Amino acid sequence: MQERELTEESEPTTVVVIGAGPAGLTVANLLRRCGIDCIVLERRSREYVAQRQRAGIVESRAVRMFESWGLADQVLGGPPHDGILEFRVDGESHLVDDSDGSAGPGARLCPQQVLVQKLTTVHLADGGDLRYEVADVSLHDLTGDRPTVRYRSTDGTLHAITCDFIAGCDGDHGVTRTAVPDGVLTAHALDHGIGWLTVLADAPPPAHPLLAISPHGFAAHFPRGPHSSRYYLQCPPDDHPDAWPDHRVWDALRTRLADPALTAGPITDRESFRLRSLVHDPMQYGRLFLVGDAAHIVSPMGGKGMNLALYDADLFARAVRDHIRDHDDTGLRSYSQRCLRRVWNDQEFSHWLTRTVHDAGDDTASGAFLRNLALARLDRLFTSPTVAQAFAELMTGLEPPQHRPVPTGR
Ligand code: RFL
């Protein structure tokens, strides 16, 4: 396609949001609620973004966040999560209550693509400006008063937008983080040395989200709709999905879930990946704020990745609102620090659960000592109400009640 030069003046707006995944669309919807202008730039088509299937549960904290913005009924689909999680250890079932008993709505079984579709519909109905299939996005003057974002539209025209802030919501492989000069951000990364095969199938969902631990390797079965399921199977870190034809997937699931009668169904998606965790610190550079996967990746155990993206989006939108409405920059200044506190809390939870469910089944890779430690942790979870309450608190994502001051002893 022939390149067309930029001829017009730069277009002004308040916030440019780069990426129309859960983070970007949430930022855009919340800003819109405050009457703040924004333009969303997405490199893929609307259809592509709307079909991308990943997360399945919107945690209680995020449900209440959408409710506080008056958006919960419009953007959340799917039934409420009944608060029960099943651990199946060597075929023996243990039900754990992962709701914390607090008043207010709990988690929702809302697949990521449903949330994205609804956020898109609501934003467009609100008059939002969403631009798909943009190319060559580049960021300029991030530390000046009015940064600029340039991009090319599908007809080859170059565009420039000047703004007050940029929300980098373009995931782990986006461009916004790469616009930050070398040496500003520190990347803290962990490769867990574990591979997972994940498949989506048109097969009945489990009664409760299910984590299965056995010497055959970890497996999980999660609901993704009334007639569909996501399954996970631990595998060697570099296994290719082609090594897992349908019959091998179903055989392994039946063995590891200790359910010989597990109903199979057509597999609609199959991918393998290494479990990894990553945090970029700080999550801000000048007027660029990183939101969601652009700033951090959490291993899927514990279901925190998308929920953290929603947390960041909420803090960022509130910070911009306070800046514009009240000339209060506290939220902008503390954005990175407040996000990172929750990020590390969720990383720790996810790491704890990842290690526990893998080590507990395996005495070859991790050794019998670590296996027994992991089984002891599970035993404590199944028998101690205090430990179960702490687990529920981490699953819901809700802030714990304020601690009473510790007596000084004087
Ligand atoms: P996304 O969803 O990656 O969206 C980023 C968007 O930015 C666009 N983009 C660009 N746009 C313009 N210009 C560019 N140069 C661009 N580069 C990229 C992309 O096209 C895309 O539309 O990031 P976001 O919004 O931060 O959302 C994060 C979540 O998607 C992610 O954390 C979760 O999917 C992680 N995750 C899970 N999270 C949970 O909370 N619970 C789960 O059960 C759960 N399961 C999962 C998961 C991730 C998985 N993958 C990716 C391994 C299961 C899987 C299999």
Side-chain angles (χ1 to χ4, degrees), residues 3-335:
E3 182 172 302
R4 294 200 203 154
E5 287 307 319
L6 173 78
T7 49
E8 295 169 35
E9 291 289 299
S10 283
E11 186 181 1
T13 191
T14 307
V15 180
V16 176
V17 178
I18 301 174
L25 289 167
T26 302
V27 166
N29 272 280
L30 303 191
L31 291 176
R32 197 85 200 136
R33 292 264 131 170
C34 311
I36 296 171
D37 287 344
C38 70
I39 296 173
V40 183
L41 302 178
E42 165 59 51
R43 94 178 150 174
R44 301 283 196 172
S45 67
R46 179 174 174 183
E47 296 68 35
Y48 182 95
V49 173
Q51 294 310 320
R52 209 164 30 200
Q53 306 202 13
R54 291 177 179 175
I57 296 188
V58 177
E59 67 183 14
S60 308
R61 187 210 54 77
V63 170
R64 294 180 198 185
M65 179 275 283
F66 280 122
E67 197 169 70
S68 74
W69 286 92
L71 278 168
D73 289 345
Q74 296 172 66
V75 304
L76 297 173
H81 167 45
D82 68 2
I84 303 293
L85 185 63
E86 180 179 352
F87 286 82
R88 204 172 283 170
V89 185
D90 294 329
E92 192 181 330
S93 173
H94 303 265
L95 299 183
V96 172
D97 189 346
D98 66 12
S99 56
D100 70 346
S102 63
R108 292 281 288 268
L109 295 174
C110 175
Q112 182 165 329
Q113 75 277 13
V114 172
L115 177 66
V116 163
Q117 288 159 16
K118 286 176 174 272
L119 284 166
T120 307
T121 305
V122 172
H123 190 55
L124 291 174
D126 266 3
D129 187 340
L130 258 164
R131 304 181 188 180
Y132 289 98
E133 299 183 65
V134 305
D136 302 338
V137 171
S138 62
L139 281 53
H140 309 270
D141 305 326
L142 292 176
T143 52
D145 285 345
R146 293 280 291 169
T148 301
V149 176
R150 297 185 197 283
Y151 73 96
R152 189 190 310 277
S153 50
T154 39
D155 65 359
T157 308
L158 290 171
H159 301 258
I161 312 172
T162 50
C163 57
D164 291 342
F165 302 106
I166 300 169
C169 306
D170 49 349
D172 188 32
H173 304 292
V175 291
T176 57
R177 206 178 57 233
T178 61
V180 179
D182 286 349
V184 173
L185 306 183
T186 304
H188 303 283
L190 178 73
D191 181 336
H192 296 262
I194 297 168
W196 273 10
L197 176 86
T198 179
V199 303
L200 280 167
D202 297 332
H208 311 289
L210 165 62
L211 310 179
I213 293 155
S214 77
H216 307 286
F218 173 72
H221 184 188
F222 295 127
R224 286 295 184 267
H227 309 291
S228 61
S229 294
R230 182 181 280 284
Y231 304 88
Y232 291 110
L233 284 163
Q234 180 183 355
C235 63
D238 295 317
D239 245 15
H240 194 276
D242 291 350
W244 288 86
D246 288 16
H247 67 86
R248 187 178 175 207
V249 169
W250 295 112
D251 285 352
L253 284 170
R254 289 187 178 116
T255 304
R256 297 186 196 187
L257 300 178
D259 183 359
L262 181 76
T263 308
I267 292 178
T268 54
D269 189 39
R270 180 186 332 241
E271 85 181 271
S272 61
F273 57 95
R274 294 179 79 98
L275 299 200
R276 65 193 181 100
S277 306
L278 176 62
V279 179
H280 293 274
D281 181 356
M283 289 170 54
Q284 179 202 355
Y285 174 69
R287 288 176 174 266
L288 166 67
F289 292 78
L290 300 175
V291 183
D293 276 17
H296 39 70
I297 299 293
V298 193
S299 79
M301 201 71 269
K304 290 299 178 189
M306 181 183 78
N307 287 298
L308 270 179
L310 302 180
Y311 180 78
D312 298 349
D314 179 41
L315 281 197
F316 175 71
R318 286 176 196 275
V320 173
R321 179 200 61 190
D322 292 350
H323 167 82
I324 288 174
R325 192 186 62 187
D326 307 326
H327 308 288
D328 176 0
D329 284 349
T330 317
L332 290 172
R333 279 200 304 273
S334 61
Y335 171 79

